[in-house]
Amino acid sequence: MSGRYLLAAIVLGRLLSVAEARAQEQRFSVALKANLTTASRVFTNPSSPDAFQRSQYFPLEDFFGYGLEVRYQLPETNIALGLSSDYIRTTIDQSIRISTSKSVPVEDGYRVIPVEFTGYFLIPVSGPTFGVFMGGGVGVYFGRRLYKLGETEAPTVNLGHGFGIHVLGGMSYRFNEWFALNAEMKFRDLQFQTSNQFASSKVTYNGTIINVSQAPFDARVHTDGVVFQLATVFNF
């Protein structure tokens, strides 16, 4: 019996010491993030009545972004709440052949600003220096397609927005009471649809006039790759 009481006393002492350490911690933090997204797709005919045309896309892979997150840890719990926003821009260079001897360069891609709300669970094995966490949440995504034929851009005429979910896991290393580094891996279901339109029916490139349609053309963006994030965290 004495062994059980001793074990209970050790566990209780450990819990009290963790609670005391948490009471002294700052509850708010601001994280400056850099991220790498491994894969996304741009569907170029999402409104087509033909199923094959709707399924056509080109991939965009391994592109960078950056962002900011504000996080609050609920007192005397392992729960934290975060609100974040990122900026992501990626394009690819392609070409369209207009004759047997001439082609026109095309820059195609998108820009998106995800705004996400995340709930974090701080795994109890974490200590004052090294921490492990997991989380998930919802997001709203504001995006537009970037499309340029030669030197002429087709502006966005219908800004896209979408909603999605995400889950993540990560680790943190705290250098002192106010500064830490976080490393995260996030799975994000980011989707939105947008429309672009040329302002004129003629585009000039290197002295060649190219006839283009002035009808709006749609695109749907779907980011389904893994997001790796590294953040510098300031606690207060």
Side-chain angles (χ1 to χ4, degrees), residues 92-98 102-108 147-152 203 205-206 210:
I92 189 173
D93 293 326
Q94 306 180 86
S95 64
I96 295 177
R97 186 167 292 278
I98 59 175
K102 290 184 179 181
S103 61
V104 180
V106 173
E107 182 183 12
D108 202 350
Y147 188 88
K148 183 183 292 186
L149 179 62
E151 299 298 327
T152 303
V203 171
Y205 177 73
N206 287 346
I210 307 163

Side-chain angles (χ1 to χ4, degrees), residues 4 7 9-11 14 21-22 24 29-30 32 34 65 68 70 88 97-98 121 135 158 168 197 215 219 226 234:
R4 293 182 180 177
L7 179 60
I10 293 174
V11 172
R14 174 59 178 167
R22 285 179 178 167
Q24 297 173 356
S29 65
V30 175
L32 304 178
L68 175 72
V70 177
I88 299 171
R97 186 167 292 278
I98 59 175
F121 175 66
N158 181 21
L168 59 85
Q197 183 179 17
V226 181
F234 301 92

